[in-house]
Amino acid sequence: MSKHILSALPELIEAGLISPATADEIVAYYEKKRDHSPNKILLAFAIFGALLTGLGIILIIAHNWDNFSQMTKTIFAFLPLVIGQVVAGFTILRKSGNMVWQEASAIFLTLSIGASISLVSQIYNLLGDLSSFLFWWTLLSLPLMYLLRSSMASLLFWCGAAYYAAQAGYFERGHSASPWYWLFVLAALPYYYQLSKRAGASNFANFHHLVVPISLVIVFGTESHHHSSIMFLAYMSLFGLLHLLGMWIKSWSPESNISGYQMAGKLGPLGLLMWFSFYSSWGELHFRNNPEPFWMGVEFFWFLGLSILFIALQLWLQRQKAEVSSHFHLLPFAFALFFFISMVHPFVSTVLVNLLLLGIGIATVVEGSQKNSIATLNIGMLTLTGLLICRFFDLKIDFVVRGILFIIVGVGFFLGNYWMIKKKKS
Amino acid sequence: MNQQYRFGLFVLLALVQLYFPGKMVYDSNKVLWLGQAFKFETRPVDPADPFRGRYVALNFAATQFEAPAESAWQRNETVFVLLETDAAGYAKIKGLSRSKPAQQEAYVSAKVSYVWKNQVTLFYPFSRFYMEEGKAQKAEIIYRRVNAGYALVKVYKGEAVLEDVLVKGKSLRELAR
């Protein structure tokens, strides 16, 4: 961007649009900015280089070389780890503040920890489930983000922690990532907070804003034990909380791109409501035939805890006069109400969910048109279409009527967008 | 945090990072040197791990045990398996215990895979035999053809290390070469 502007300067001076003094100021501005920001291309190459080398070593190790003696293999197991440590130690002592060295050495060391544990378990045929392997790998690389001040180490840590928790919780039955995953989250949060405060507009911060909510949403399901039905309630509160957290981050770091939080906070509840717009979904909830009452289950405590946090954050944000005027914040309350109604009258809940979705769709379309936002308008339209498609499957409506409804929504899509683009142009 | 402090902490971390795989090596060697050898009859299959590559997964003949009803074993419970050798020279389960057996007994720690009536099925921590990529599948074919073999496992104070898998007295690694 700056290159284009700088190359256009002589032309602008010649045309008399800017004075030579202004041109000098522009040049000085960009030079100063370049001194402060690290060389982004070099940084990107260093990151990819370290990632590919580290992953390459893991793959070469996974070949399981039979021709080497046990001793040789054991030495090779420690080699990448020691090299990684020497480079990282050198970075701390001699290259402190150099982002390229910090990020590349942190990535390489993180991956070589995994390579080393993996080779030792091959040499001695140690079983270790995939989840316990991932656990130790993640734990041993945890301090790197702080010691090397590396955002990539933090990102890899979040991914590793989620992979571990999902593997243990979903695929290796009888294991639970709890409470380790949550301790990992607590340990990594200070770095994430500092990063968002210090460099909210950076790619590193924005990747975190995407990876963190996705990781939380994926792993949260592993908390389901005996009352899986209550998890729907807890998830709704989690979605609400994530949406508010995104707004909270935005309130002190306005340059942050919080689309990950917004996505979780909007698409999550809409997806859940779509699911529960089917009468059969309410029937599949099993809380009635469970011998232990649902309020004794750990899922209910999650629901309560997250709801309290959600309400507290909402009140706090309102007191801070942050912008929280989205109707999405009422969804967890509405859903909880429907959920409890469904224990007695599942049909009433089904009707209420359908009406709510219809209301959300219309309100979002109106909001989009008022704010001149094509994205919001289309989210509203998609909500209405989604609702229509869902009803297409389970209601005994005449084919002609269904066809007409689809045509109406399709034409609405087209006209709405056309009208909005025209409005924006004028 | 100043640089020296940070470096000091890093050196500590580096030592912990080295200690972990180091301890794995040390513990395994201790079992290999000091452990008592048991032959576990096996039937292998060939899967892969995303990080650790190909291995031959072993199914053991000695995995089931008729436990007394009052012991009420649960799924995923950790269990100490007391071992002895049968007439053919293969490992045989002598008994199960929740507490650590006496020093002179040969035992290995395992997990309860599932329980059906009084029959407890066990999962041993040495059911993976890592092999070079490409050889694992060959090994499986050889194994299927012969359909007889055993895993040589060293057992020491509850810890076990799988040393080799033998078919007709020859190492599977040699046969698949």
Side-chain angles (χ1 to χ4, degrees), chain B residues 68-88:
Chain B
E70 65 272 13
S71 54
W73 289 97
Q74 297 284 316
R75 237 189 114 197
N76 290 316
E77 206 175 332
T78 304
V79 51
F80 294 105
V81 185
L82 295 145
L83 296 171
E84 61 182 359
T85 309
D86 68 4

Side-chain angles (χ1 to χ4, degrees), chain A residues 271-336:
Chain A
L272 263 187
L273 286 176
M274 288 288 173
W275 173 252
F276 280 102
S277 71
F278 290 92
Y279 178 65
S280 55
S281 305
W282 294 107
E284 279 163 20
L285 298 176
H286 311 293
F287 44 80
R288 282 177 217 95
N289 16 3
N290 205 316
E292 187 192 50
F294 71 84
W295 57 84
M296 295 295 283
V298 63
E299 297 86 349
F300 193 68
F301 284 98
W302 272 110
F303 162 64
L304 278 185
L306 289 174
S307 301
I308 291 168
L309 272 177
F310 170 70
I311 294 168
L313 187 59
Q314 195 156 6
L315 293 174
W316 188 80
L317 280 174
Q318 271 164 359
R319 269 180 65 184
Q320 301 291 311
K321 306 225 167 22
E323 195 193 341
V324 278
S325 61
S326 169
H327 46 259
F328 276 92
H329 297 138
L330 298 172
L331 287 187
F333 303 116
F335 185 72

Side-chain angles (χ1 to χ4, degrees), chain A residues 225-300:
Chain A
H225 297 288
H226 299 297
H227 295 280
S228 44
S229 308
I230 303 294
M231 280 311 279
F232 289 110
L233 272 181
Y235 253 112
M236 202 55 143
S237 300
L238 177 73
F239 291 140
L241 187 64
L242 286 176
H243 197 215
L244 285 182
L245 280 174
M247 296 197 155
W248 174 64
I249 292 171
K250 196 94 184 160
S251 72
W252 46 261
S253 173
E255 289 163 317
S256 291
N257 178 357
I258 50 159
S259 51
Y261 287 93
Q262 299 242 309
M263 218 158 62
K266 285 194 167 142
L267 294 185
L270 284 181
L272 263 187
L273 286 176
M274 288 288 173
W275 173 252
F276 280 102
S277 71
F278 290 92
Y279 178 65
S280 55
S281 305
W282 294 107
E284 279 163 20
L285 298 176
H286 311 293
F287 44 80
R288 282 177 217 95
N289 16 3
N290 205 316
E292 187 192 50
F294 71 84
W295 57 84
M296 295 295 283
V298 63
E299 297 86 349
F300 193 68

Side-chain angles (χ1 to χ4, degrees), chain A residues 134 160-171 176-177 181 219 222:
Chain A
L134 291 168
Y163 189 4
Y164 149 69
Q167 179 69 27
Y170 293 125
F171 304 115
S176 171
Y181 174 77
V219 175
T222 62

Side-chain angles (χ1 to χ4, degrees), chain B residues 112-131:
Chain B
V112 176
S113 181
Y114 54 88
V115 185
W116 191 74
K117 290 188 176 165
N118 290 339
Q119 194 163 61
V120 182
T121 303
L122 302 161
F123 183 72
Y124 293 112
F126 44 82
S127 58
R128 283 182 176 192
F129 185 60
Y130 286 97
M131 290 198 73

